Amino acid sequence: MKTVQVGLLGLGNIGTGTYKTLEMNKAQIEAAAECKIEITKILERDVDRERDITVRPEQFTQDPDSIFKDPEIDIVIELLGGIEPATTFMLSAMENGKHVVTANKAAVAANFDKLMNTARENGVEFRFEASVGGGIPILNAITTVLRSNQFEEILGILNGTTNYILTQMTEYGLRYEDVLKKAQEKGFAEADPTADVEGIDVANKLSILMALAFDTYVAPEDIPTTGITQITRKDITSAAVNGCKIKLIASAKLVDGKLEYSVKPTQLPNSHPLASINNEFNAVFVKGNAVDELMFYGKGAGPLPTGSAVMGDVLEIAKLCGRK
Ligand code: HSE
């Protein structure tokens, strides 16, 4: 059986979750891919950190080129986060003939065309399922089995941190600042939570969803975006009096053939399917002109749910590599 070699950029929370997903489920992943999959090199500075995985010291490298120029490596997984140097690294990997998998919504949303075109020009796969909705297979769904639809509407709760904060404020009457701290402790808020609470993370994810579902790329900074920092306990109580919940909603809709989009805190009637999505869970509500209404639900953040999506992409590519 062929061995597909993988280079991993970043062994932080998501990198560790991805590594662990492969470690836990290696036999079944390799059986499904019909080849062996080995993470042979890892670009990571912090080699001494305690991680609940088995990594040999010789797997670590400090030199990205030792991964991009290694003829034995077939797939590069980018899990550094942030736009740079992640984008430059992904482009280098592709230019060196490597397939690329990433969970990096900021880099994909900022450089969507460049990354897609470079992958196409170099005849390599570029997959980023984990970048939207963590473990929820929404990108795969809209680009494969749902492709026969004209999408009419996509509504999403796409950020675990803000949904957790709003849920805790709603259920327990807690203050925004106190809940944010808890979300960081639980590991789904970013170290710098600005992108989460200002809605920027959701705008990145909506940009990717619109590019794939509506073939329309809108840069995240051109999506009208309001975060949750101004939401008070009073707003939440007033919504409750009206039989509503406040959720941070990413919305893209075709209205008279024109795409309308936004990210903003929205009062949803308690009967709306998205109103019952709580804590760090994410959900995406999709309306297609043939399939009608669908809802995708699951963990949108966290090392293992995100690792599951990353490894899913790796598995699909390894299947193709294994056949060559
Ligand atoms: N900080 C993000 C969230 C991580 O809270 O959803 C997943 O993109």
Side-chain angles (χ1 to χ4, degrees), residues 105 159-161 188 190 196 201 205 300-301:
K105 57 261 164 156
N159 184 272
T161 304
F188 38 80
E190 312 285 337
D196 289 316
D201 177 76
K205 292 166 178 168

Side-chain angles (χ1 to χ4, degrees), residues 20-40:
K20 196 167 185 175
T21 303
L22 179 61
E23 228 177 37
M24 268 182 349
N25 300 331
K26 198 155 194 292
Q28 87 189 56
I29 290 171
E30 292 183 339
E34 296 174 41
C35 60
K36 293 204 160 297
I37 302 177
E38 299 292 344
I39 298 179
T40 49

Side-chain angles (χ1 to χ4, degrees), residues 51-305:
R51 298 175 176 97
D52 183 20
I53 50 175
T54 310
V55 188
R56 296 181 312 281
E58 63 270 22
Q59 283 173 274
F60 286 110
T61 176
Q62 307 301 316
D63 175 14
D65 275 340
S66 75
I67 294 178
F68 307 146
K69 307 270 185 217
D70 183 340
E72 302 299 322
I73 288 184
D74 304 285
I75 304 173
V76 170
I77 307 176
E78 183 283 307
L79 298 174
L80 297 167
I83 296 175
E84 286 298 350
T87 303
T88 304
F89 285 175
M90 287 193 274
L91 294 172
S92 297
M94 290 173 187
E95 283 155 5
N96 282 283
K98 313 298 180 205
H99 306 289
V100 171
V101 174
T102 185
N104 188 332
K105 57 261 164 156
V108 176
N111 296 297
F112 187 83
D113 289 337
K114 177 81 182 150
L115 287 161
M116 295 296 268
N117 291 338
T118 306
R120 205 171 297 123
E121 284 157 18
N122 289 280
V124 295
E125 293 284 319
F126 175 46
R127 295 190 179 222
F128 40 90
E129 179 62 68
S131 66
V132 179
I136 304 172
I138 182 65
L139 301 187
N140 198 28
I142 61 177
T143 52
T144 59
V145 287
L146 296 177
R147 205 58 195 150
S148 54
N149 285 264
Q150 166 72 66
F151 295 107
E152 294 172 351
E153 182 176 23
I154 297 188
L155 295 178
I157 293 178
L158 295 174
N159 184 272
T161 304
T162 47
N163 202 43
Y164 178 79
I165 293 173
L166 291 173
T167 303
Q168 296 282 312
M169 287 173 76
T170 306
E171 304 279 314
Y172 305 109
L174 299 176
R175 281 183 338 137
Y176 169 82
E177 297 77 13
D178 299 332
V179 192
L180 173 59
K181 204 160 158 279
K182 258 170 79 180
Q184 281 169 315
E185 283 161 13
K186 281 177 168 274
F188 38 80
E190 312 285 337
D192 173 1
T194 315
D196 289 316
V197 297
E198 297 293 358
I200 300 161
D201 177 76
V202 179
N204 287 333
K205 292 166 178 168
L206 183 60
S207 168
I208 297 169
L209 270 178
M210 290 196 293
L212 297 179
F214 297 100
D215 292 316
T216 305
Y217 172 72
V218 181
E221 58 272 23
D222 295 331
I223 297 175
T225 299
T226 310
I228 65 159
T229 52
Q230 304 305 315
I231 301 291
T232 61
R233 285 188 287 184
K234 193 157 163 256
D235 296 325
I236 287 183
T237 318
S238 313
V241 169
N242 296 328
C244 291
K245 290 210 176 93
I246 298 180
K247 295 287 182 189
L248 182 62
I249 297 294
S251 159
K253 282 182 209 190
L254 275 183
V255 180
D256 299 328
K258 193 170 164 282
L259 189 59
E260 291 185 358
Y261 43 85
S262 65
V263 173
K264 59 178 188 230
T266 305
Q267 282 202 26
L268 294 179
N270 290 333
S271 57
H272 192 286
L274 288 175
S276 57
I277 309 304
N278 286 329
N279 292 314
E280 75 269 35
F281 283 89
N282 282 198
V284 191
F285 175 87
V286 175
K287 186 159 191 237
N289 65 350
V291 73
D292 205 23
E293 293 179 355
L294 289 170
M295 181 108 139
F296 296 80
Y297 168 78
K299 285 194 174 158
L304 285 179

